[in-house]
Amino acid sequence: MMKQSIHSSNRPADNDGRPTLIVNGIVVDAHSESKKQILIIDGKIAKVAHTIDDYPKGTKVIDAVGLYVMPGGIDVHTHFNIDAGFTRSIDDFYTGTRSAACGGTTMVIDHMGFGPKGCNLHHQLSVYKDYAGNNAVIDYSFHGVIQHINDEILAEMASMVEEEGISSFKLYLTYGYKLDDDSVLRALTQLNKVNALTTVHPENDAAIALRRTQLLEAGKTAPKYHAISRPLECEAEAIGRMINLARLADNAPLYIVHLSNGLGLDYIRLARQNKQPVWAETCPQYLLLDERCYERDDALKFILSPPLRPVAEREKLWQGLMDGSIDTVATDHCSFTYHEQKQRGKDNFSACPNGMPGVETRMPLLFSEGVMAGRITPSRFVELTSYMPAKLFGLYPQKGSFDIGADADIVLFDPKENVTITHDLLHDNTDYTPFESIESHGWPVMTLSRGNVVACMGEFMGKAGNGRFVHRKPFSTHQAAKHHGVEKE
């Protein structure tokens, strides 16, 4: 047997398909942490025990002394290769998943962009499978995207879930293909019937449009007015409206993406008190950054929707992570270059492409500011980054667990590895990170995708095309709701 410590200067043995044994690490899942060993055979978890002696001859050994051994991260909110109409995001499915892997993420579920007007649900799925197929370095899936509602679209939803393995769909309450309340209610009702989870970008489009017009007519075009045009009340109102429409749709399951404020979180808590199946996601930018970024000279870097909020909202979101009111942390990674693409907005905030990078820094930042800062436990970290994403989106127990037979998607975290984040350390395709100069206490030092080392000590070791499309199971309210005691009536 060959023993390979990742603390040595030697790179790990090549990915040659041999069994792998991880020893001396603290194995953490969503329920517990203890010193155990993990045996990987054929890319799957073969055994987890305090001591494993019956490993095959020729097994490679990874010495994880002093490290946390966790299920690989699942980022359920990315936008790779998305067409924004006037430009395209700079990370495709190769550079985006490469960056994800180097940050400890072993699967993404990408929110597909809009297709041609009037296209059916399968259209964009076919387009995005072509985008990812020979490029992704880690496993992936997609959320369906709903641009309009008619009888044909409603009838098509069942085949997307049952035949294509797409068990979640996104609808928008703003942007060009926003849905009105009638369409939302029809979508919620049908998605509920076909065992799919509705995810929503919640902002009040009419209020935003009015405020934006008023600001621009008054000559208020600087980046800071982007945030002023989309106040938190616009987001919170839309969250409350979606919750009520979901209730009308026979208590349809609902997932709120990129939650950025405490008022919206209060509405979610109220829905849960009423036994509604509602879940919430937030992102590192809303936990670490705030609206003061819009006063900076490089404020264009921080234009995204919903925008960064007042500093007081950060602690409200952290409280939601600590008390279980927020279920997942994703990124909404949607990267554009600062020196070129973002400059479209230098004289008019409304012309700036919305979005920022973050797929590589999600795991270390949440580990640093959550686990190492004492806000959450290592198990809660796994719950937020892997276990609940897998449960909610039809991946569990194949992903998000160390169950026997699960995919060997694993990240090794060194709690003593302190890293000052700079963009030159990262592996995306843009030219900045919004988290420049933030010190991360703890860092992912090795990532394994189905047993293969895809990143080690900041070095990318994966291969384009090795990522697989994962056919996800239909949504189960009962299984997902065990987390906070919500059941359908």
Side-chain angles (χ1 to χ4, degrees):
M1 113 183 135
M2 296 190 319
K3 190 168 184 178
Q4 176 63 59
S5 171
I6 65 171
H7 295 288
S8 73
S9 60
N10 301 320
R11 60 185 281 142
D14 291 336
N15 294 316
D16 52 14
R18 287 183 295 158
T20 299
L21 182 65
I22 301 176
V23 301
N24 295 328
I26 304 299
V27 174
V28 184
D29 62 16
H31 311 292
S32 65
E33 58 180 277
S34 60
K35 192 170 183 178
K36 291 182 179 177
Q37 299 179 356
I38 299 177
L39 179 63
I40 302 166
I41 299 177
D42 295 330
K44 302 284 187 180
I45 304 295
K47 191 171 186 178
V48 180
H50 292 289
T51 302
I52 299 175
D53 296 319
D54 54 341
Y55 47 81
K57 184 178 180 180
T59 294
K60 297 177 291 187
V61 175
I62 295 174
D63 186 352
V65 62
L67 308 180
Y68 287 115
V69 182
M70 299 171 162
I74 303 171
D75 190 343
V76 297
H77 192 159
T78 60
H79 294 281
F80 297 147
N81 206 39
I82 192 170
D83 183 357
F86 54 86
T87 191
R88 186 176 291 273
S89 63
I90 200 68
D91 275 309
D92 61 17
F93 277 86
Y94 173 67
T95 63
T97 57
R98 175 185 67 187
S99 186
C102 291
T105 289
T106 52
M107 181 167 177
V108 299
I109 307 180
D110 196 79
H111 282 283
M112 299 187 292
F114 297 131
K117 184 176 181 179
C119 69
N120 65 19
L121 297 177
H122 282 78
H123 179 278
Q124 285 302 87
L125 179 60
S126 176
V127 169
Y128 269 72
K129 281 188 172 181
D130 285 343
Y131 287 164
N134 295 318
N135 293 303
V137 306
I138 55 174
D139 291 351
Y140 59 92
S141 183
F142 310 107
H143 303 279
V145 60
I146 300 174
Q147 300 178 207
H148 65 283
I149 288 294
N150 57 30
D151 290 344
E152 289 75 21
I153 293 293
L154 294 172
E156 191 184 0
M157 290 174 175
S159 65
M160 287 284 285
V161 176
E162 296 163 9
E163 299 171 16
E164 304 291 352
I166 303 298
S167 54
S168 54
F169 294 77
K170 188 175 187 180
L171 51 86
Y172 292 80
L173 302 187
T174 189
Y175 301 138
Y177 285 105
K178 63 183 180 294
L179 299 186
D180 60 21
D181 289 352
D182 174 84
S183 294
V184 168
L185 187 55
R186 295 177 72 192
L188 281 164
T189 301
Q190 181 65 8
L191 290 172
N192 192 14
K193 289 179 180 177
V194 301
N195 298 313
L197 177 61
T198 300
T199 79
V200 61
H201 176 124
E203 287 185 291
N204 186 304
D205 182 76
I208 290 169
L210 176 61
R211 292 175 68 92
R212 180 172 59 238
T213 298
Q214 292 172 335
L215 289 166
L216 294 177
E217 288 179 348
K220 296 177 178 179
T221 61
K224 68 179 181 180
Y225 293 109
H226 167 74
I228 293 171
S229 74
R230 310 176 90 99
L232 66 85
E233 290 82 4
C234 289
E235 180 187 3
E237 182 280 330
I239 290 172
R241 178 157 39 103
M242 281 299 304
I243 287 170
N244 286 316
L245 290 172
R247 185 76 167 187
L248 291 173
D250 193 25
N251 230 16
L254 179 66
Y255 180 91
I256 305 298
V257 305
H258 50 46
L259 178 68
S260 72
N261 72 88
L263 180 57
L265 182 57
D266 287 341
Y267 289 153
I268 291 164
R269 288 189 176 114
L270 181 61
R272 289 183 174 178
Q273 290 172 17
N274 292 327
K275 305 301 182 183
Q276 264 191 264
V278 180
W279 293 269
E281 155 199 303
T282 193
C283 308
Q285 55 267 33
Y286 304 119
L287 297 167
L288 277 77
L289 306 177
D290 59 73
E291 65 179 4
R292 291 173 295 183
C293 292
Y294 296 121
E295 301 293 341
R296 293 169 40 160
D297 291 340
D298 59 353
L300 288 170
K301 292 178 179 178
F302 305 95
I303 287 187
L304 79 164
S305 296
L308 302 178
R309 300 303 189 189
V311 65
E313 302 305 311
R314 299 192 327 194
E315 283 310 310
K316 295 175 185 177
L317 296 176
W318 276 113
Q319 184 58 45
L321 292 180
M322 293 186 284
D323 67 22
S325 301
I326 295 175
D327 303 279
T328 66
V329 175
T331 63
D332 194 14
H333 179 102
C334 188
S335 56
F336 301 95
T337 59
Y338 169 64
H339 289 98
E340 293 184 17
Q341 292 169 300
K342 287 279 190 179
Q343 293 304 313
R344 287 179 54 97
K346 63 184 175 64
D347 298 319
N348 181 345
F349 68 84
S350 68
C352 184
N354 273 232
M356 62 171 59
V359 74
E360 189 167 348
T361 48
R362 172 185 71 128
M363 297 281 280
L365 286 174
L366 185 62
F367 186 88
S368 175
E369 297 300 315
V371 176
M372 298 303 290
R375 290 183 170 108
I376 59 175
T377 65
S379 286
R380 177 66 172 145
F381 172 85
V382 170
E383 188 173 41
L384 289 164
T385 60
S386 185
Y387 174 78
M388 278 306 292
K391 295 276 280 190
L392 285 165
F393 293 100
L395 298 167
Y396 188 84
Q398 179 185 354
K399 307 287 188 182
S401 81
F402 286 136
D403 288 7
I404 304 306
D407 289 345
D409 290 353
I410 298 172
V411 58
L412 278 60
F413 256 92
D414 187 346
K416 296 182 179 179
E417 185 76 13
N418 295 331
V419 174
T420 300
I421 295 174
T422 57
H423 186 256
D424 59 3
L425 295 177
L426 305 180
H427 298 80
D428 57 42
N429 201 34
T430 190
D431 57 359
Y432 79 100
T433 171
F435 306 106
E436 187 78 23
S437 300
I438 291 179
E439 185 172 4
S440 176
H441 301 282
W443 198 259
V445 292
M446 181 181 284
T447 308
L448 291 83
S449 171
R450 284 182 278 105
N452 292 319
V453 177
V454 290
C456 182
M457 297 300 291
E459 180 182 359
F460 173 64
M461 301 176 65
K463 184 179 179 182
N466 276 3
R468 298 175 183 172
F469 173 78
V470 179
H471 186 287
R472 295 186 285 124
K473 294 179 291 187
F475 177 78
S476 167
T477 300
H478 176 70
Q479 286 297 318
K482 287 182 178 178
H483 174 59
H484 53 60
V486 172
E487 297 287 355
K488 286 187 69 177
E489 293 179 344

